[in-house]
Amino acid sequence: MPVSHDTAVELVRDLLELQRVMKRVTKTDAGQRRLNPTAIALLYYLDSNGPRRATVMASDTGLGPSGLSRQLAVLEGEGHVERTPDPDDGRAALVAITERGREQVRTVLEEDAQRLAGRLENWDEEQARASRGAINEITTVFLDSLGVERTTSCRGTGTPRGAGPATAGRATPDHRQHEEDTER
């Protein structure tokens, strides 16, 4: 049975509320970070995907060319990214994360994980994993509907492509490997 209109409306409201709250939590928890959440997201993207042309980054991230250019200028100025000639087209450049940028990603992920664990102190592991599975499942549905591949290290998590409710929530081999890596 398809999702009812009323349930779809409630899901939209829930997702908008989550988006609003995440922006607020990100601002509150950012502390003394020198980089804004968009810059950190770009570093995470490059760390997960490797060097990319700015045009590809703009398409994958949804940032406009001028906004992306401003963010990349800050990241380059801080030594978090570098531009190198594209070996396939000498007229173009690739943007790559530097070791300093990778260290920034590791630091931010660790700090955010500690803060999140504190906010979820009344949850158990099962609740956290179930929530993670639901978030990854809806993300996969959205990406599939756009014809876009996942661009983070969470590739392969959630429901496999084309899997219906019977297989939802079952861990795929890639998902289990990611879970094991995350626990280490």
Side-chain angles (χ1 to χ4, degrees), residues 2 16 22 35 37 42 46 75 97 106 108-109 123 134-135 142-143 151 160 170 177:
L16 289 171
M22 284 303 301
L35 299 176
L42 287 171
L46 287 170
L75 291 170
I97 190 169
R106 285 188 293 270
V108 167
L109 286 175
W123 281 25
I135 289 167
F142 288 172
L143 290 170
T151 61
R170 282 193 208 157
Q177 183 62 49

Side-chain angles (χ1 to χ4, degrees), residues 40-81:
I40 291 168
L42 287 171
L43 287 177
Y44 183 70
Y45 166 85
L46 287 170
D47 192 41
S48 298
N49 294 286
R52 294 284 187 262
R53 286 184 178 188
T55 54
V56 172
M57 291 178 67
S59 175
D60 285 352
T61 64
L63 289 173
S66 63
L68 178 62
S69 180
R70 281 191 302 275
Q71 295 291 336
L72 290 177
V74 169
L75 291 170
E76 195 169 20
E78 294 280 331
H80 296 302
V81 300

Side-chain angles (χ1 to χ4, degrees), residues 2-152:
V3 173
S4 73
H5 176 74
D6 290 344
T7 299
V9 167
E10 291 304 316
L11 275 169
V12 168
R13 287 182 178 151
D14 292 344
L15 290 170
L16 289 171
E17 179 72 0
L18 177 60
Q19 181 181 28
R20 183 187 67 76
V21 170
M22 284 303 301
K23 283 181 182 178
R24 206 163 161 205
V25 165
T26 302
K27 273 186 176 178
T28 301
D29 286 351
Q32 300 300 317
R33 286 190 188 153
R34 292 179 58 143
L35 299 176
N36 65 49
T38 302
I40 291 168
L42 287 171
L43 287 177
Y44 183 70
Y45 166 85
L46 287 170
D47 192 41
S48 298
N49 294 286
R52 294 284 187 262
R53 286 184 178 188
T55 54
V56 172
M57 291 178 67
S59 175
D60 285 352
T61 64
L63 289 173
S66 63
L68 178 62
S69 180
R70 281 191 302 275
Q71 295 291 336
L72 290 177
V74 169
L75 291 170
E76 195 169 20
E78 294 280 331
H80 296 302
V81 300
E82 61 187 2
R83 296 175 198 255
T84 58
D86 184 338
D88 296 331
D89 181 355
R91 300 167 297 169
L94 294 177
V95 179
I97 190 169
T98 63
E99 188 52 43
R100 181 177 178 157
R102 281 189 188 86
E103 181 58 36
Q104 181 70 31
V105 168
R106 285 188 293 270
T107 298
V108 167
L109 286 175
E110 183 58 34
E111 289 171 355
D112 287 351
Q114 288 175 4
R115 282 191 208 64
L116 180 62
R119 287 181 182 273
L120 301 178
E121 66 185 342
N122 294 323
W123 281 25
D124 62 23
E125 187 68 15
E126 186 177 326
Q127 286 175 290
R129 286 184 185 271
S131 294
R132 182 171 180 256
I135 289 167
N136 277 298
E137 189 172 344
I138 198 164
T139 299
T140 299
V141 168
F142 288 172
L143 290 170
D144 285 352
S145 73
L146 295 169
V148 176
E149 291 292 320
R150 190 176 281 272
T151 61
T152 67

